[in-house]
Amino acid sequence: MKLFVVGVSGQLAHELQRACWPSGLTVQYAERPTLDLLRPDEAAAVVAAARPQLVVNAAAYTAVDAAESDRETAFAVNCDAPAALAAMCRTTGAALIHISTDYVFDGAKPAPYVEDDPVAPLSVYGASKAAGEAAVRQTLGRHVILRTSWLYSPVGHNFVKTMLRLGAERDRLRVVDDQHGSPTAAADLAAAITVICGGIAAGREDGFGTFHCCCDGATTWYGFAQAIFDDARRRGFETPAAVEPIPSEAYPTPAARPRNSRLDCRKIASVWGFTAPRWQDSLAACLDRMASTAPQPAAAEAALP
Ligand SMILES: NC(=O)c1ccc[n+]([C@@H]2O[C@H](COP(=O)([O-])OP(=O)(O)OC[C@H]3O[C@@H](n4cnc5c(N)ncnc54)[C@H](OP(=O)(O)O)[C@@H]3O)[C@@H](O)[C@H]2O)c1
Protein backbone atom coordinates (compact mmCIF):
# COMPACT_ATOMS: atom_id res chain seq x y z
CA MET A 1 0.00 0.00 0.00
CA LYS A 2 1.27 3.47 -0.89
CA LEU A 3 1.21 6.45 1.46
CA PHE A 4 1.88 10.01 0.35
CA VAL A 5 2.98 12.59 2.93
CA VAL A 6 2.45 16.23 2.00
CA GLY A 7 5.41 18.01 3.62
CA VAL A 8 9.08 17.20 4.19
CA SER A 9 10.76 19.87 6.28
CA GLY A 10 8.15 20.69 8.94
CA GLN A 11 8.27 19.33 12.48
CA LEU A 12 5.67 16.63 11.93
CA ALA A 13 6.93 15.66 8.46
CA HIS A 14 10.43 15.36 9.88
CA GLU A 15 9.23 12.99 12.62
CA LEU A 16 7.19 10.97 10.11
CA GLN A 17 10.46 10.33 8.27
CA ARG A 18 11.96 8.89 11.48
CA ALA A 19 8.83 6.93 12.40
CA CYS A 20 8.50 3.18 12.44
CA TRP A 21 5.95 2.36 9.72
CA PRO A 22 4.11 -0.96 9.50
CA SER A 23 5.64 -3.31 6.93
CA GLY A 24 3.94 -3.27 3.55
CA LEU A 25 3.54 0.53 3.50
CA THR A 26 5.73 2.50 1.14
CA VAL A 27 5.96 6.17 2.04
CA GLN A 28 6.64 9.04 -0.36
CA TYR A 29 7.16 12.69 0.67
CA ALA A 30 6.93 15.94 -1.27
CA GLU A 31 6.99 19.64 -0.52
CA ARG A 32 7.60 22.92 -2.30
CA PRO A 33 8.52 23.53 -5.09
CA THR A 34 7.25 20.16 -6.37
CA LEU A 35 4.04 20.56 -4.41
CA ASP A 36 2.82 24.05 -3.51
CA LEU A 37 -0.35 24.21 -1.42
CA LEU A 38 -0.87 27.78 -2.60
CA ARG A 39 -1.92 26.11 -5.86
CA PRO A 40 -4.33 23.57 -4.35
CA ASP A 41 -5.53 21.86 -7.54
CA GLU A 42 -2.01 21.45 -8.90
CA ALA A 43 -0.84 20.15 -5.52
CA ALA A 44 -3.67 17.61 -5.42
CA ALA A 45 -2.77 16.51 -8.96
CA VAL A 46 0.85 15.92 -7.88
CA VAL A 47 -0.39 13.66 -5.08
CA ALA A 48 -2.89 11.88 -7.36
CA ALA A 49 -0.15 11.13 -9.89
CA ALA A 50 1.61 9.03 -7.23
CA ARG A 51 -1.58 6.92 -6.89
CA PRO A 52 -1.52 6.60 -3.08
CA GLN A 53 -4.18 4.76 -1.09
CA LEU A 54 -3.38 6.94 1.95
CA VAL A 55 -2.51 10.64 2.14
CA VAL A 56 -1.16 12.45 5.21
CA ASN A 57 -1.28 16.24 5.11
CA ALA A 58 1.60 17.26 7.37
CA ALA A 59 1.99 20.76 5.86
CA ALA A 60 0.21 23.94 6.93
CA TYR A 61 0.53 27.68 7.28
CA THR A 62 1.55 27.73 10.95
CA ALA A 63 2.70 31.34 11.51
CA VAL A 64 -0.06 32.18 13.99
CA ASP A 65 0.72 35.88 14.39
CA ALA A 66 1.65 36.51 10.74
CA ALA A 67 -1.69 35.00 9.69
CA GLU A 68 -3.49 38.00 11.25
CA SER A 69 -2.19 40.13 8.38
CA ASP A 70 -2.03 37.37 5.75
CA ARG A 71 -5.52 35.89 5.84
CA GLU A 72 -5.54 34.99 2.15
CA THR A 73 -2.44 32.79 2.36
CA ALA A 74 -3.54 31.18 5.63
CA PHE A 75 -6.92 30.21 4.15
CA ALA A 76 -5.41 29.05 0.85
CA VAL A 77 -2.96 26.68 2.58
CA ASN A 78 -5.07 25.64 5.57
CA CYS A 79 -8.51 25.43 3.94
CA ASP A 80 -8.43 25.41 0.12
CA ALA A 81 -5.52 22.96 -0.06
CA PRO A 82 -6.98 20.34 2.32
CA ALA A 83 -10.30 20.72 0.51
CA ALA A 84 -8.57 19.95 -2.80
CA LEU A 85 -6.69 17.01 -1.26
CA ALA A 86 -9.97 15.65 0.14
CA ALA A 87 -11.70 16.01 -3.25
CA MET A 88 -8.80 14.21 -4.93
CA CYS A 89 -9.01 11.42 -2.33
CA ARG A 90 -12.77 11.08 -2.90
CA THR A 91 -12.15 10.67 -6.63
CA THR A 92 -9.33 8.15 -6.26
CA GLY A 93 -10.68 6.27 -3.22
CA ALA A 94 -7.77 7.23 -0.95
CA ALA A 95 -8.12 8.01 2.76
CA LEU A 96 -6.82 11.32 4.16
CA ILE A 97 -5.18 12.01 7.51
CA HIS A 98 -5.32 15.75 8.19
CA ILE A 99 -3.88 17.65 11.15
CA SER A 100 -5.63 20.44 13.04
CA THR A 101 -5.18 22.43 16.19
CA ASP A 102 -6.40 23.40 19.65
CA TYR A 103 -6.62 26.97 18.29
CA VAL A 104 -9.99 26.11 16.70
CA PHE A 105 -11.42 26.64 20.23
CA ASP A 106 -11.78 29.91 22.12
CA GLY A 107 -10.53 28.48 25.42
CA ALA A 108 -13.56 29.56 27.44
CA LYS A 109 -14.52 26.01 28.45
CA PRO A 110 -13.39 25.27 32.01
CA ALA A 111 -12.60 21.61 31.18
CA PRO A 112 -10.67 19.80 28.41
CA TYR A 113 -12.35 20.07 25.01
CA VAL A 114 -13.94 16.98 23.46
CA GLU A 115 -14.11 16.44 19.70
CA ASP A 116 -17.77 17.51 19.38
CA ASP A 117 -17.42 20.81 21.22
CA PRO A 118 -18.30 23.74 18.95
CA VAL A 119 -15.33 25.53 17.42
CA ALA A 120 -14.93 29.27 18.01
CA PRO A 121 -11.47 30.34 16.85
CA LEU A 122 -9.96 33.55 18.23
CA SER A 123 -7.42 34.01 15.43
CA VAL A 124 -7.16 33.96 11.64
CA TYR A 125 -4.93 30.88 11.92
CA GLY A 126 -7.53 29.12 14.08
CA ALA A 127 -10.32 30.13 11.70
CA SER A 128 -8.37 28.88 8.68
CA LYS A 129 -7.74 25.52 10.39
CA ALA A 130 -11.40 25.23 11.46
CA ALA A 131 -12.47 25.95 7.86
CA GLY A 132 -10.00 23.31 6.63
CA GLU A 133 -11.45 20.72 9.01
CA ALA A 134 -14.98 21.52 7.86
CA ALA A 135 -13.99 21.25 4.20
CA VAL A 136 -12.36 17.85 4.74
CA ARG A 137 -15.41 16.59 6.67
CA GLN A 138 -17.86 17.79 4.01
CA THR A 139 -15.84 16.41 1.10
CA LEU A 140 -14.58 13.01 2.19
CA GLY A 141 -16.00 10.31 4.43
CA ARG A 142 -12.71 8.40 4.76
CA HIS A 143 -10.85 11.07 6.71
CA VAL A 144 -9.09 11.23 10.05
CA ILE A 145 -8.64 14.73 11.50
CA LEU A 146 -6.15 14.82 14.36
CA ARG A 147 -6.24 17.95 16.52
CA THR A 148 -3.05 18.45 18.45
CA SER A 149 -1.50 21.22 20.58
CA TRP A 150 1.77 22.98 21.43
CA LEU A 151 3.79 20.87 18.99
CA TYR A 152 7.57 20.75 19.29
CA SER A 153 10.52 18.71 18.03
CA PRO A 154 14.30 19.04 17.77
CA VAL A 155 13.84 20.73 14.36
CA GLY A 156 11.88 23.72 13.13
CA HIS A 157 10.34 26.62 15.01
CA ASN A 158 8.85 25.80 18.38
CA PHE A 159 8.66 26.86 22.02
CA VAL A 160 11.36 24.44 23.24
CA LYS A 161 13.92 25.73 20.77
CA THR A 162 12.93 29.35 21.41
CA MET A 163 13.30 28.91 25.18
CA LEU A 164 16.72 27.26 24.82
CA ARG A 165 17.90 30.07 22.53
CA LEU A 166 16.57 32.87 24.74
CA GLY A 167 17.73 31.05 27.88
CA ALA A 168 21.29 31.04 26.57
CA GLU A 169 21.12 34.76 25.69
CA ARG A 170 19.35 36.25 28.71
CA ASP A 171 19.52 36.12 32.50
CA ARG A 172 15.80 36.55 33.07
CA LEU A 173 12.80 35.46 31.04
CA ARG A 174 9.11 36.31 31.43
CA VAL A 175 6.69 33.62 30.30
CA VAL A 176 2.88 33.57 30.09
CA ASP A 177 1.29 31.59 32.92
CA ASP A 178 -2.45 31.80 32.21
CA GLN A 179 -2.74 29.73 29.03
CA HIS A 180 -3.17 26.02 29.72
CA GLY A 181 -2.41 23.21 27.29
CA SER A 182 -0.57 20.00 26.57
CA PRO A 183 2.90 20.24 25.05
CA THR A 184 3.03 17.52 22.40
CA ALA A 185 6.13 16.04 20.82
CA ALA A 186 5.80 15.79 17.05
CA ALA A 187 7.31 12.31 17.43
CA ASP A 188 4.25 11.21 19.43
CA LEU A 189 1.84 12.64 16.86
CA ALA A 190 3.83 10.82 14.16
CA ALA A 191 3.51 7.59 16.17
CA ALA A 192 -0.27 8.04 16.32
CA ILE A 193 -0.33 8.53 12.54
CA THR A 194 1.62 5.30 11.95
CA VAL A 195 -0.90 3.41 14.11
CA ILE A 196 -3.86 4.88 12.22
CA CYS A 197 -2.30 4.34 8.79
CA GLY A 198 -1.39 0.78 9.76
CA GLY A 199 -4.99 0.16 10.81
CA ILE A 200 -6.45 1.60 7.61
CA ALA A 201 -3.92 -0.31 5.51
CA ALA A 202 -5.02 -3.49 7.32
CA GLY A 203 -8.61 -2.84 6.32
CA ARG A 204 -10.10 -0.94 9.27
CA GLU A 205 -13.00 1.21 8.12
CA ASP A 206 -14.48 2.01 11.54
CA GLY A 207 -11.94 4.59 12.75
CA PHE A 208 -12.64 7.64 10.60
CA GLY A 209 -13.62 10.99 12.11
CA THR A 210 -12.10 13.69 14.31
CA PHE A 211 -9.76 12.90 17.21
CA HIS A 212 -7.74 14.80 19.77
CA CYS A 213 -4.12 13.67 19.99
CA CYS A 214 -1.81 15.28 22.55
CA CYS A 215 0.71 14.19 25.13
CA ASP A 216 -0.75 13.26 28.50
CA GLY A 217 -1.15 15.97 31.14
CA ALA A 218 -1.25 19.75 30.91
CA THR A 219 0.64 22.82 32.07
CA THR A 220 1.05 26.51 31.21
CA TRP A 221 3.71 28.02 28.96
CA TYR A 222 5.48 29.09 32.17
CA GLY A 223 5.28 25.54 33.57
CA PHE A 224 6.54 24.20 30.26
CA ALA A 225 9.45 26.69 30.28
CA GLN A 226 10.39 25.69 33.82
CA ALA A 227 10.41 22.01 32.87
CA ILE A 228 12.49 22.77 29.75
CA PHE A 229 15.10 24.63 31.78
CA ASP A 230 15.18 22.07 34.63
CA ASP A 231 15.77 19.27 32.13
CA ALA A 232 18.10 21.31 29.92
CA ARG A 233 20.30 22.35 32.86
CA ARG A 234 20.89 18.69 33.73
CA ARG A 235 21.98 18.09 30.13
CA GLY A 236 24.51 20.94 30.13
CA PHE A 237 22.54 23.57 28.20
CA GLU A 238 22.89 27.20 29.28
CA THR A 239 19.75 28.33 31.14
CA PRO A 240 18.57 31.66 32.57
CA ALA A 241 18.96 32.58 36.25
CA ALA A 242 15.26 33.37 36.63
CA VAL A 243 11.97 32.68 34.86
CA GLU A 244 9.06 34.90 35.84
CA PRO A 245 5.35 34.07 35.32
CA ILE A 246 3.31 36.80 33.62
CA PRO A 247 -0.31 37.15 32.47
CA SER A 248 -1.16 37.13 28.76
CA GLU A 249 -1.87 40.88 28.94
CA ALA A 250 1.81 41.50 29.69
CA TYR A 251 2.84 39.78 26.45
CA PRO A 252 0.55 41.14 23.73
CA THR A 253 0.62 39.30 20.39
CA PRO A 254 -1.17 40.04 17.09
CA ALA A 255 -3.20 36.81 17.43
CA ALA A 256 -5.22 36.01 20.55
CA ARG A 257 -4.60 32.55 22.03
CA PRO A 258 -7.10 30.39 23.95
CA ARG A 259 -6.62 30.40 27.74
CA ASN A 260 -7.68 26.76 27.82
CA SER A 261 -6.15 24.60 25.09
CA ARG A 262 -6.57 21.29 26.89
CA LEU A 263 -7.92 18.54 24.62
CA ASP A 264 -9.57 15.38 25.92
CA CYS A 265 -7.77 12.49 24.20
CA ARG A 266 -9.92 9.58 25.36
CA LYS A 267 -11.57 9.02 21.97
CA ILE A 268 -8.34 8.18 20.10
CA ALA A 269 -7.41 5.86 22.98
CA SER A 270 -10.70 3.98 22.75
CA VAL A 271 -11.02 3.87 18.93
CA TRP A 272 -7.38 3.51 17.88
CA GLY A 273 -5.80 2.23 21.11
CA PHE A 274 -3.31 5.11 21.02
CA THR A 275 -2.19 7.00 24.14
CA ALA A 276 0.72 9.43 23.97
CA PRO A 277 3.28 9.51 26.80
CA ARG A 278 3.24 12.08 29.63
CA TRP A 279 4.39 15.43 28.26
CA GLN A 280 7.29 15.51 30.72
CA ASP A 281 8.61 12.16 29.42
CA SER A 282 8.38 13.24 25.80
CA LEU A 283 10.12 16.52 26.60
CA ALA A 284 12.97 14.58 28.21
CA ALA A 285 13.27 12.37 25.12
CA CYS A 286 13.35 15.43 22.85
CA LEU A 287 16.03 17.13 24.95
CA ASP A 288 18.10 13.94 24.91
CA ARG A 289 18.05 14.03 21.13
CA MET A 290 18.92 17.73 21.09
CA ALA A 291 21.77 17.25 23.57
CA SER A 292 23.21 14.42 21.51
CA THR A 293 23.39 16.64 18.43
CA ALA A 294 24.39 19.90 20.20
CA PRO A 295 27.71 21.36 19.00
CA GLN A 296 30.67 20.15 21.06
CA PRO A 297 33.15 22.68 22.57
CA ALA A 298 35.57 24.10 20.01
CA ALA A 299 38.73 22.01 19.63
CA ALA A 300 41.03 24.67 21.14
CA GLU A 301 38.79 25.04 24.17
CA ALA A 302 38.48 21.28 24.58
CA ALA A 303 42.28 20.96 24.43
CA LEU A 304 42.91 23.34 27.36
CA PRO A 305 44.68 21.60 30.25
N1 LIG B 1 3.26 23.92 15.63
C1 LIG B 1 2.30 23.82 16.56
O1 LIG B 1 2.46 24.23 17.72
C2 LIG B 1 0.99 23.17 16.20
C3 LIG B 1 -0.01 23.09 17.18
C4 LIG B 1 -1.21 22.48 16.84
C5 LIG B 1 -1.40 21.97 15.57
N2 LIG B 1 -0.43 22.09 14.63
C6 LIG B 1 -0.67 21.55 13.29
O2 LIG B 1 0.19 20.44 13.12
C7 LIG B 1 0.52 20.31 11.74
C8 LIG B 1 2.03 20.18 11.59
O3 LIG B 1 2.61 21.39 12.08
P1 LIG B 1 4.17 21.59 12.16
O4 LIG B 1 4.46 22.28 13.45
O5 LIG B 1 4.87 20.33 11.80
O6 LIG B 1 4.36 22.66 11.00
P2 LIG B 1 5.69 23.40 10.58
O7 LIG B 1 6.87 22.83 11.27
O8 LIG B 1 5.45 24.87 10.65
O9 LIG B 1 5.82 22.99 9.04
C9 LIG B 1 4.85 23.39 8.15
C10 LIG B 1 5.23 22.80 6.82
O10 LIG B 1 4.24 23.20 5.87
C11 LIG B 1 4.91 23.59 4.71
N3 LIG B 1 4.17 24.55 3.93
C12 LIG B 1 3.73 25.78 4.31
N4 LIG B 1 3.15 26.40 3.26
C13 LIG B 1 3.23 25.53 2.23
C14 LIG B 1 2.82 25.58 0.87
N5 LIG B 1 2.24 26.67 0.35
N6 LIG B 1 3.05 24.52 0.09
C15 LIG B 1 3.67 23.42 0.56
N7 LIG B 1 4.10 23.31 1.83
C16 LIG B 1 3.87 24.36 2.64
C17 LIG B 1 6.19 24.22 5.19
O11 LIG B 1 7.10 24.24 4.14
P3 LIG B 1 8.18 25.42 4.00
O12 LIG B 1 9.28 25.04 4.94
O13 LIG B 1 8.55 25.38 2.56
O14 LIG B 1 7.48 26.70 4.40
C18 LIG B 1 6.58 23.29 6.31
O15 LIG B 1 7.31 22.18 5.81
C19 LIG B 1 -0.11 21.50 11.04
O16 LIG B 1 -1.33 21.12 10.47
C20 LIG B 1 -0.36 22.49 12.16
O17 LIG B 1 -1.43 23.36 11.86
C21 LIG B 1 0.77 22.65 14.91
Side-chain angles (χ1 to χ4, degrees):
M1 186 170 273
K2 195 164 190 183
L3 167 66
F4 195 105
V5 177
V6 177
V8 176
S9 59
Q11 300 190 81
L12 174 60
H14 183 83
E15 295 300 331
L16 287 170
Q17 288 161 75
R18 300 181 74 246
C20 186
W21 291 97
S23 61
L25 268 182
T26 57
V27 191
Q28 178 178 344
Y29 299 83
E31 66 171 2
R32 290 189 279 199
T34 313
L35 190 161
D36 188 348
L37 296 177
L38 281 172
R39 296 197 294 275
D41 292 333
E42 285 175 35
V46 169
V47 182
R51 306 175 73 86
Q53 286 85 33
L54 277 162
V55 178
V56 175
N57 181 19
Y61 183 102
T62 56
V64 176
D65 288 320
E68 293 298 304
S69 51
D70 196 6
R71 187 182 179 90
E72 205 179 323
T73 310
F75 270 78
V77 175
N78 292 344
C79 177
D80 301 348
L85 290 173
M88 180 276 294
C89 288
R90 190 182 55 198
T91 304
T92 62
L96 175 65
I97 320 294
H98 177 67
I99 316 303
S100 192
T101 171
D102 51 321
Y103 284 13
V104 298
F105 296 118
D106 65 9
K109 186 178 175 180
Y113 282 92
V114 295
E115 285 80 354
D116 290 339
D117 280 327
V119 299
L122 299 175
S123 61
V124 169
Y125 166 74
S128 70
K129 295 293 289 185
E133 286 186 3
V136 169
R137 259 181 229 116
Q138 276 161 23
T139 309
L140 180 70
R142 297 179 77 234
H143 70 262
V144 173
I145 294 170
L146 295 175
R147 289 194 191 122
T148 192
S149 61
W150 297 20
L151 212 57
Y152 66 90
S153 77
V155 303
H157 301 287
N158 59 65
F159 185 78
V160 175
K161 291 184 68 185
T162 301
M163 285 298 109
L164 291 177
R165 177 173 53 77
L166 293 178
E169 289 168 8
R170 300 184 193 171
D171 265 357
R172 311 182 76 77
L173 285 183
R174 300 162 79 231
V175 184
V176 168
D177 194 31
D178 56 6
Q179 295 171 21
H180 299 258
S182 303
T184 300
D188 296 322
L189 181 60
I193 291 171
T194 64
V195 168
I196 292 167
C197 288
I200 296 172
R204 272 197 70 175
E205 291 290 324
D206 61 348
F208 294 113
T210 301
F211 299 88
H212 291 170
C213 183
C214 305
C215 277
D216 191 33
T219 183
T220 65
W221 291 113
Y222 169 71
F224 190 20
Q226 280 188 312
I228 292 166
F229 292 130
D230 287 348
D231 275 19
R233 202 171 295 120
R234 284 197 289 275
R235 289 169 174 79
F237 288 93
E238 274 186 78
T239 57
V243 185
E244 181 192 337
I246 55 167
S248 296
E249 290 75 20
Y251 186 73
T253 50
R257 268 83 171 162
R259 295 295 169 98
N260 175 25
S261 270
R262 292 173 298 147
L263 303 179
D264 184 321
C265 297
R266 282 177 294 183
K267 184 178 166 193
I268 194 170
S270 88
V271 174
W272 284 105
F274 180 82
T275 307
R278 284 174 359 117
W279 69 263
Q280 296 93 332
D281 296 335
S282 291
L283 172 62
C286 177
L287 289 171
D288 279 340
R289 281 170 62 192
M290 292 174 79
S292 71
T293 56
Q296 299 301 307
E301 222 177 330
L304 287 175

